[in-house]
Amino acid sequence: MDIGAFIIGDELLSGKRQDKHLPKLIELLAARGLKLAWAQYLGDNPARLLAALRHSLASGDLVFSFGGIGATPDDHTRACAAAALDVPLAIHPEGRLLVEGRFGDEAYPHRINMVNIPEGSRLIPNPVNQMPGFSVHDHHFVPGFPSMAWPMVEWVLDTQYRHLFAPGADIELTVMAEHAREGDLIDLMQQLVAEYPAARLSSLPSFGTDTLPPHIEFGFTGQPDAARAAMAALTAGLQAKGYVLREVRQR
């Protein structure tokens, strides 16, 4: 099961607001030994939302969706999720009690729509203002506000997906090779990828800075034993070719 994310809102695509969800989701997953496989930014466009949700629901992926579940006219995520599932929107009975309990008569006619969600959905508790998110299958929809969304994501992970947690979080080891060129090292990289399939290789070339010469920052990510074995082989291979290396760092 891959893990993906939708981060929704025109304000993100226009630059009015900077996204904070993606790095936080990566952090929350890593703390549980999990990895994000994909992420997609989407505006408040119902047709695009519907197409994206249909595709992800058919994939069987575990997906977190941030934003677009409020009660204002630009919030389309609830309706698009229902359409993608081919089910109607329905006021969730437990959600009704939450909204009425918080807002009283002011729950109607608009605030109640925050729990007008795809029929058969499960609620995700909101520890900040009690207005819930919702889950359908392995898709989990939370608000766009970080203070609400992040503890809701943690609750979903810890209550529904503990069986996926890896025994230990991955580590990333990096080393910098000065004046290296990727074209000269493709054979070495291919060899290491074949020999250490449990460690993921990265190669980030740089033209250098005021304090650093041109270089490549190589990395291996994986469980500690696999990442360290691959990095040891990489550093040995680079040293054999005469490259000056900056120290191996762990992140």
Side-chain angles (χ1 to χ4, degrees), residues 25-38:
L25 179 60
I26 292 169
E27 175 190 321
L28 295 177
L29 293 172
R32 293 157 175 82
L34 303 175
K35 284 284 187 180
L36 188 68
W38 58 265

Side-chain angles (χ1 to χ4, degrees), residues 10-155:
D10 284 345
E11 68 277 8
L12 298 170
L13 301 182
S14 69
K16 291 181 180 178
R17 183 173 295 171
Q18 299 299 309
D19 171 52
K20 298 179 180 179
H21 293 303
L22 183 59
K24 186 64 177 182
L25 179 60
I26 292 169
E27 175 190 321
L28 295 177
L29 293 172
R32 293 157 175 82
L34 303 175
K35 284 284 187 180
L36 188 68
W38 58 265
Q40 185 174 359
Y41 289 96
L42 294 165
D44 297 305
N45 181 300
R48 288 188 180 276
L49 287 171
L50 178 57
L53 286 166
R54 280 179 172 160
H55 182 269
S56 64
L57 283 161
S59 72
D61 287 349
L62 163 56
V63 176
F64 292 98
S65 177
F66 298 86
I69 63 171
T72 57
D74 61 336
D75 291 319
H76 304 292
T77 306
R78 292 176 291 104
C80 289
L85 291 159
D86 197 24
V87 300
L89 289 168
I91 302 296
H92 193 284
E94 294 177 28
R96 181 197 301 271
L97 296 177
L98 288 169
V99 177
E100 290 178 346
R102 178 169 175 79
F103 295 108
D105 292 342
E106 293 183 358
Y108 298 91
H110 301 301
R111 288 190 171 97
I112 195 65
N113 283 321
M114 289 186 287
V115 291
N116 191 27
I117 55 181
E119 189 175 66
S121 295
R122 311 178 305 278
L123 296 185
I124 303 173
N126 182 335
V128 176
N129 70 355
Q130 289 73 57
M131 295 300 97
F134 65 93
S135 298
V136 285
H137 303 304
D138 288 303
H139 279 50
H140 308 281
F141 298 83
V142 298
F145 299 103
S147 62
M148 301 178 190
W150 299 347
M152 295 167 79
V153 168
E154 289 196 273
W155 181 87

Side-chain angles (χ1 to χ4, degrees), residues 197-248:
R200 296 180 298 281
L201 171 70
S202 63
S203 172
L204 299 174
S206 170
F207 290 114
T209 67
D210 291 340
T211 58
L212 290 173
H215 61 271
I216 299 175
E217 181 178 291
F218 292 101
F220 273 108
T221 303
Q223 290 293 291
D225 288 348
R228 291 186 179 114
M231 179 55 69
L234 172 63
T235 55
L238 292 171
Q239 288 170 339
K241 292 179 178 291
Y243 290 103
V244 175
L245 304 183
R246 301 270 176 150
E247 69 278 7
V248 175

